[in-house]
Each structure stands twice: as structure tokens, then as C-alpha cells.
Amino acid sequence: MPQNACSAGGERAGEAPPETLPVAAAEARAAAPALVSEVAAVARSRLRTVAPAALLAEVAALLSDAQTGVVVVCDAAGAALGVITETILVRHLGLRQAHFFATPASAVMASTFTACAPGDPLSDVLAMMHTRGLVHVLLLGADRQALGVLTARDGLRVLLAAGNQEEALLRNYVMGIGYQ
């Protein structure tokens, strides 16, 4: 009878011993970088959009919510055209370059903005936000579809949770408990 390749434990080739399956799963989770898609639900909840013709009074009403720091100006298909932040709004109003009830959002929006995609590594996006001093970036899908607004705080929460999980796994391993 031909001899099968065996590991030291005597398992058949191609089969992992039962106790290593959770280990392999934990290592795979630890090795896989967190993606922006992991915070997509929270980012979606922060998304506030207006049409280019919307008046600044409507934009100001949206920005008055404590959880909203940016309003995205989108075309009829939902593609992002620009953004209006609290700072942009106050600057235009303070310099008397805009009027609440006569100026459309398209007149004051910033047409250049920073965005990311759901498949981008979260750590890369957060590093870029830190380097550029950004509080939030847009999450865009295909054809510049506005999917959400990612804040640094949301991204850091995901990375912190992943770090806490890795710490717990390491502590259990060192204590002889194993992976759980």
C-alpha cells in the first residue's frame, strides 16, 4: 500500500487537525487588512446630499445636525459633483459672497474633494486623511456614486476593535488557553 504524506500528528494529507482550524481562521482575520467597506453602513448613515440647484438655506439646515460635517452636491443620477462643509458655507456667507435664499449649492461647492472606494485599505485611507489633515472623505462607488461619508473616528474605531481582538488572541495564546 502506498504511503500517504502525513504530518507529525498522523493526519491525512490535505486535512488540518481539528484544533488548528480556529487558529487558521484567526490568523486569516488578523492578516487581512480592514477595508473601507467595513464602515460602509456608518458612512452611509452620515451621507447628506442636495441637488446643485438647492439653496444654501437647505444646506445649512443639513449641516446643523451634529453628525453632519459635509453635504454632498449630487447630480440627478447620484454622482458627486462637489461638497459643502461648514467652513465653506461660513466663509462664503461671512465674506458676503453668498445669500442664504438666493445662492444655489453649485455656486459655493468645492468641486475638488478627496474620496475613497469600498475596496481601499482602511489604514491607507486613514493615513492619507491624517497626512492631509482631513476630518472626512467621501466614499464613492462606480461612476462617482456617493455611497457615504467616512470620518476618521469611524475608521479608527474599526482598527481599534481589530487591534483589541488581536491582543485578546495573543493573550489567550500566551496564557495557554488557545484561540477562541
Side-chain angles (χ1 to χ4, degrees):
M1 177 171 198
Q3 196 171 10
N4 290 347
C6 294
S7 67
E11 298 88 4
R12 288 183 288 168
E15 286 186 13
E19 67 274 7
T20 63
L21 293 178
V23 173
E27 287 173 347
R29 280 193 308 273
L35 300 177
V36 171
S37 60
E38 293 183 38
V39 293
V42 174
R44 192 174 311 110
S45 73
R46 295 189 191 287
L47 180 63
R48 303 291 181 267
T49 62
V50 294
L55 297 178
L56 292 185
E58 182 181 346
V59 174
L62 291 172
L63 286 172
S64 68
D65 178 15
Q67 298 297 318
T68 304
V70 63
V71 172
V72 184
V73 180
C74 295
D75 65 14
L81 302 172
V83 297
I84 301 175
T85 63
E86 295 165 330
T87 304
I88 291 171
L89 183 64
V90 169
R91 182 180 308 129
H92 282 280
L93 293 172
L95 296 174
R96 301 188 191 281
Q97 295 173 342
H99 184 272
F100 263 121
F101 303 107
T103 306
S106 60
V108 299
M109 71 180 189
S111 57
T112 57
F113 50 86
T114 305
C116 62
D120 291 343
L122 187 57
S123 59
D124 291 354
V125 173
L126 291 174
M128 177 270 305
M129 290 174 73
H130 175 72
T131 302
R132 296 184 186 179
L134 300 174
V135 177
H136 40 65
V137 296
L138 294 187
L139 176 57
L140 298 182
D143 298 328
R144 295 177 55 106
Q145 293 292 103
L147 302 176
V149 176
L150 173 69
T151 66
R153 178 180 291 162
D154 297 333
L156 290 172
R157 281 184 183 141
V158 169
L159 294 181
L160 180 61
N164 288 342
Q165 181 182 6
E166 287 180 30
E167 179 184 343
L169 289 172
L170 181 59
R171 184 179 341 101
N172 289 344
Y173 178 76
V174 169
M175 298 293 290
I177 299 170
Y179 290 97
Q180 296 180 6

